[in-house]
Amino acid sequence: MNILLLGGGGREHALAWKLAQSPSLTKLFASPGNPGIGDHAQLIALDLTNHAEVVGFCQRAAVDLVVIGPEAPLVDGIADSLRATGIAVFGPSKAAAKLEGSKGFTKDLCTTANIPTAAYLRFSDETAALAGLEAFGLPVVIKADGLAAGKGVVIATTTQDARAALAEMFGGSRDGGNTSIVIEEFLTGEEVSLFALTDGSNVVSFGTAQDHKRIGEGDTGANTGGMGAYSPAGVLTPALEDLAMDTIVRPTVAAMAAAGTPFVGVLYAGLMLTADGPKLIEYNARFGDPETQVLMPRFKGDLAQVFNAVALGRLADEAPPAFSQDFACTVVLAAPGYPGTPLAGGKIEGISCANEIAKVFLAGAKLEGDRLAASGGRVLAVTGSGTSFADARANAYAGIARLTYPGGYFRRDIGWREVERPKL
């Protein structure tokens, strides 16, 4: 089949790399792509906000399936425009993508469907939100209601910090100006990522991972889009994974279907493993970044075939997804200044050498003449694999050591919880 992959980051590079290995793939296109994705796909310049342009290309190129990587096109409704012309899509409709596009929508759904999550209140007025803080202890979690590239969350440890976060969010300096926020209780436990594929009715688990959101080692400093990840997440035991699927993911899929807005694609549940069991922190309507960079090396099947089955409502016809017993660990190499204003243009060298021991996925990088240069905040994700977590982690850092990128920053403690976890 012919496939068009939308997106141009590290997540899409990992998806393109895996899709290119699919026996059922005939031709892979990508837009906008990046130099790494270009090793596996024909790059096409399309305006993803121009739905007619994307649809027109798919028709001319006889595209059978569109795989949507990032959240913004999903929330913008591009899946609806494609489906309206008979093109199969791996990715939810605009209405279903509200699970990521509106945190308030998701929290309300959790209440309706009795899905375990943190207690919360929603506000669209700063004065009311300030008064609402009194209902919560400290720390308290404050979230921008809309898309914020993984960074629209503040964990305030003092009332002063909470007030400042509200002033910033309502003042418009975060996420382009928010008119709605969610205040949540702070949950205590360990955070993990659970992925599930669904065709709107059938649901299967699609791997686990643990991300590292904070910029600093020891999980300190500002939130980022993710500084590294590993898979599988051992703390999410098979029993806990089954519990999360039964009490969180499946009820969500059922509620979306009952509302007439079935979710089709990958549902990414960010979970907190509390003393009372798994609770939902938030949903993403697409694969995570950098979690995709550790899931794809472990997935053993024909990814194109599985995605197509999801898109066509035939997930029940597929065998359960199979993953290698190996571990994978990815470390993000970020630009100076990230997660603030990243410094662009730094020269990147040594990728072919690093690929001898790990797999380098390009995220914020582009070609400038014949050289590769940084063009974003998170520049590369270097993934190591191994039969043990220690080996996978060591290979990731060995790959990093073979790269040259002046001023590049990476955390040296990715997987620290797994390292410190008692071994049975």
Side-chain angles (χ1 to χ4, degrees):
M1 75 186 82
N2 295 332
I3 296 178
L4 171 62
L5 172 65
L6 301 185
R11 164 185 48 226
E12 288 77 34
H13 187 182
L15 290 172
W17 172 75
K18 198 63 178 182
L19 285 168
Q21 302 170 36
S22 297
S24 61
L25 177 72
T26 303
K27 176 76 174 181
L28 181 61
F29 303 97
S31 182
N34 67 36
I37 296 172
D39 290 338
H40 311 290
Q42 180 181 338
L43 302 187
I44 306 296
L46 297 172
D47 178 359
L48 302 191
T49 65
N50 186 333
H51 296 188
E53 183 178 336
V54 177
V55 168
F57 170 78
C58 290
Q59 293 172 332
R60 292 191 304 274
V63 168
D64 301 292
L65 173 68
V66 177
V67 176
I68 305 172
E71 59 272 29
L74 291 168
V75 173
D76 188 44
I78 196 168
D80 303 83
S81 299
L82 289 160
R83 287 192 178 104
T85 63
I87 299 168
V89 182
F90 180 86
S93 65
K94 180 175 183 176
K98 285 186 71 176
L99 283 174
E100 177 167 5
S102 172
K103 294 178 177 63
F105 170 84
T106 298
K107 298 296 287 190
D108 290 348
L109 181 143
C110 287
T111 298
T112 302
N114 198 30
I115 293 168
T117 190
Y120 73 101
L121 292 171
R122 297 179 66 181
F123 298 97
S124 56
D125 174 79
E126 184 176 354
T127 301
L130 287 168
L133 282 173
E134 297 179 4
F136 298 87
L138 293 171
V140 64
V141 181
I142 301 173
K143 295 180 177 180
D145 187 53
L147 297 180
K151 293 174 280 187
V153 178
V154 173
I155 300 174
T157 57
T158 67
T159 300
Q160 182 179 0
D161 289 344
R163 289 175 174 271
L166 290 175
E168 183 180 2
M169 290 186 182
F170 281 107
S173 57
R174 184 189 298 273
D175 192 31
N178 290 284
T179 58
S180 179
I181 61 98
V182 174
I183 301 178
E184 289 185 1
E185 70 168 321
F186 178 80
L187 295 178
T188 300
E190 197 161 338
E191 188 173 344
V192 294
S193 302
L194 172 62
F195 297 85
L197 299 182
T198 174
D199 59 9
S201 55
N202 301 290
V203 190
V204 295
S205 175
F206 197 74
T208 66
Q210 189 163 63
D211 190 13
H212 299 63
K213 288 291 188 187
R214 301 283 192 152
I215 187 66
E217 292 172 14
D219 291 331
T220 57
N223 267 335
T224 73
M227 292 301 297
Y230 65 90
S231 178
V235 69
L236 190 64
T237 63
L240 285 175
E241 182 177 344
D242 288 344
L243 181 61
M245 290 290 292
D246 289 341
T247 61
I248 297 174
V249 178
R250 289 192 176 92
T252 298
V253 173
M256 294 299 287
T261 55
F263 189 100
V264 176
V266 59
L267 191 56
Y268 161 14
L271 307 175
M272 186 69 76
L273 302 183
T274 74
D276 298 322
K279 292 188 177 183
L280 180 70
I281 301 172
E282 63 183 11
Y283 275 126
N284 289 324
R286 37 72 192 180
F287 281 108
D289 187 344
E291 292 95 337
T292 310
Q293 291 91 308
V294 290
L295 287 176
M296 292 302 106
R298 298 186 57 240
F299 178 65
K300 296 173 66 175
D302 184 327
L303 192 66
Q305 178 177 307
V306 172
F307 282 3
N308 195 51
V310 168
L312 297 178
R314 300 172 183 168
L315 184 58
D317 297 336
E318 293 293 312
F323 288 83
S324 165
Q325 294 299 309
D326 285 357
F327 292 79
C329 176
T330 196
V331 180
V332 168
L333 184 59
Y338 181 77
T341 302
L343 181 64
K347 186 178 181 181
I348 304 163
E349 296 180 306
I351 288 181
S352 59
C353 187
N355 276 332
E356 294 174 356
I357 195 168
K359 176 59 184 174
V360 181
F361 295 108
L362 275 59
K366 66 178 182 179
L367 287 173
E368 291 185 350
D370 60 353
R371 74 178 192 134
L372 193 65
S375 61
R378 293 183 295 167
V379 179
L380 306 173
V382 183
T383 302
S385 298
T387 55
S388 69
F389 172 72
D391 287 345
R393 187 174 189 259
N395 287 336
Y397 281 109
I400 286 268
R402 296 187 176 194
L403 295 168
T404 301
Y405 171 46
Y409 170 79
F410 62 94
R411 280 182 55 170
R412 301 176 186 273
D413 67 342
I414 299 301
W416 66 269
R417 291 182 184 86
E418 193 68 17
V419 171
E420 295 181 358
R421 209 179 307 283
K423 301 299 185 287
L424 299 179

